[in-house]
Amino acid sequence: MAPHFTVIRDTTPDSAIPRGAVVAMGNFDGVHLGHRAVIAAALEMGRAHGRPALALTFEPHPRRFFSPNTPQFRLTDEPAKLRLLAGTGLAGAVVMTFDKARAGTSAQDFIHHDLIGRLGVSGIAVGYDFHFGKGRVGSPSLLVNEAPRLGIEVDVQAHVDIDERPVSSSAIRIALAEGQLDEATTMLGAPWFITGEVIHGEKRGRDLGYPTANIRLDANCGLKHGIYAVRVGRGQGKDQVRLDGVASFGRRPTFDNGAPLLEIFLFDFKGDLYGQALDCAFIGFIREELKFDSLEALIRQMDDDSARARAMLAAAPDAFPRLGTID
C-alpha cells in the first residue's frame, strides 16, 4: 500500500516536519527517468536508515521567476507534478516558494538554514546537473564536500541515457513538439498527460457523430497540433475509471482556426462530463491537423482516425501514468 503523501510548504509549522528525512532535490518537471533515478536513490537511502524520503522542489519553476515574459512549456504543472511524485513511493514533498528572497539566498545559507536547520535532513539525493543558491553556485560537488562536516549522506546520480542521448525535460518538450510520442513516453517512463476541466464548445462534434469533451490547455503548451490516441482517467485514486478515445489538439482549420483546444471523443461512452476534471494521457500520434473540403471527407477521416486509435490503445492496454493522491 502506498504511503500517505504529505505536502510541506513554507507555511508548514516546524513541528509538522519529519526530522531526519532524506530528500530528493530537483525541479522535477515531468518526473522523467532521470528524476526517477534521483528519487530511487533517496528511497533506497531512506530504507537503509529507516527514514522517510521526500521530494524537495520549487514553485513556480525558477525559469518563470527569472524570465517571466518568456513562454514556458511546462511538462507538468504543480498539481500534476505532485501527483506523479506521490506515485513513486515517496512519503511527501517539500514545495519551496521560488521568489526574490529564495533567488537571493546563498548556497551555504540554503544548506544550513533550509536543509539542515528547518528540514533537519539526514541525506540528500541530487542529479549531476542540479544547481541551487544565488548565482547557481550550489552544486552536487559542494554538497559532497559539505556532507562529512554536516553529518549527512549525499548521493549524486549520473545522467540517464537512452540511445546515447541524455534524458532531460528539454528533450521531452522537443519530442512532444514534433509529435514523437514514443520518444517522449520512453524518456518519461509513462505517457505524458494533462489534467483539465471539461468546458462547453461549439458542439459541432455532436452533429458529426463524434461528441467531444473539450479542454483548454495552458497557452504555452507546446504539444504538436494533430490527432492522438488517448486514454482518459475520470476521478482519482482507486476509484478512477479509464476510458479510451481519440483526440484532436489544434485550431480546427476546417471550421474556424481558433485558439488551440483539446477535443476528446471517448469510445463507447455516453454521459455529461461538463465541469469535471479529466486526466488525458497521450498514447500515440496519428496524424497532423488537416483542413477538409467537405464534412463528408472529415467524417471519413475521423472514422479512420478512430480505428487507428483503437488499434494503438489495444496494443498498449495498461499505458497510463502512475498517479498518487495528495493528503
Side-chain angles (χ1 to χ4, degrees), residues 66-131:
F66 288 114
S67 302
N69 298 320
T70 302
Q72 306 285 354
F73 173 22
R74 286 191 59 168
L75 298 175
T76 44
D77 60 13
E78 181 181 343
K81 177 169 68 173
L82 291 175
R83 290 173 68 200
L84 284 168
L85 291 171
T88 65
L90 291 167
V94 180
V95 180
M96 292 186 172
T97 302
F98 199 90
D99 53 14
K100 184 177 181 180
R102 183 78 62 201
T105 300
S106 71
Q108 288 287 354
D109 281 350
F110 180 76
I111 293 171
H112 291 275
H113 179 268
D114 292 304
L115 296 181
I116 303 301
R118 175 163 161 79
L119 298 178
V121 303
S122 62
I124 301 169
V126 293
Y128 71 101
D129 59 348
F130 181 73
H131 288 79

Side-chain angles (χ1 to χ4, degrees), residues 9 25-32 35 56-79 81 95-100 102-103 129-131 136 168-170 173 218 220:
R9 300 187 184 274
M25 287 205 304
N27 289 313
F28 298 118
D29 189 23
V31 194
H32 57 59
H35 298 144
L56 191 161
T57 190
F58 304 89
E59 288 291 341
H61 195 290
R63 284 198 313 271
R64 176 62 61 87
F65 174 81
F66 288 114
S67 302
N69 298 320
T70 302
Q72 306 285 354
F73 173 22
R74 286 191 59 168
L75 298 175
T76 44
D77 60 13
E78 181 181 343
K81 177 169 68 173
V95 180
M96 292 186 172
T97 302
F98 199 90
D99 53 14
K100 184 177 181 180
R102 183 78 62 201
D129 59 348
F130 181 73
H131 288 79
R136 290 170 53 85
S168 71
S169 299
S170 296
R173 292 186 195 100
D218 186 274
N220 295 321

Side-chain angles (χ1 to χ4, degrees), residues 143-162:
L143 291 171
V144 169
N145 292 335
E146 291 283 291
R149 186 164 62 86
L150 297 172
I152 63 174
E153 184 177 349
V154 173
D155 184 293
V156 180
Q157 286 292 304
H159 52 77
V160 173
D161 294 344
I162 295 176

Side-chain angles (χ1 to χ4, degrees), residues 91 132 142 191 246 291:
F132 59 94
L142 175 63
V246 61
K291 182 175 182 178

Side-chain angles (χ1 to χ4, degrees), residues 7 22 64 78 120 168 187 294:
V7 179
V22 173
R64 176 62 61 87
E78 181 181 343
S168 71
M187 288 189 283
S294 68

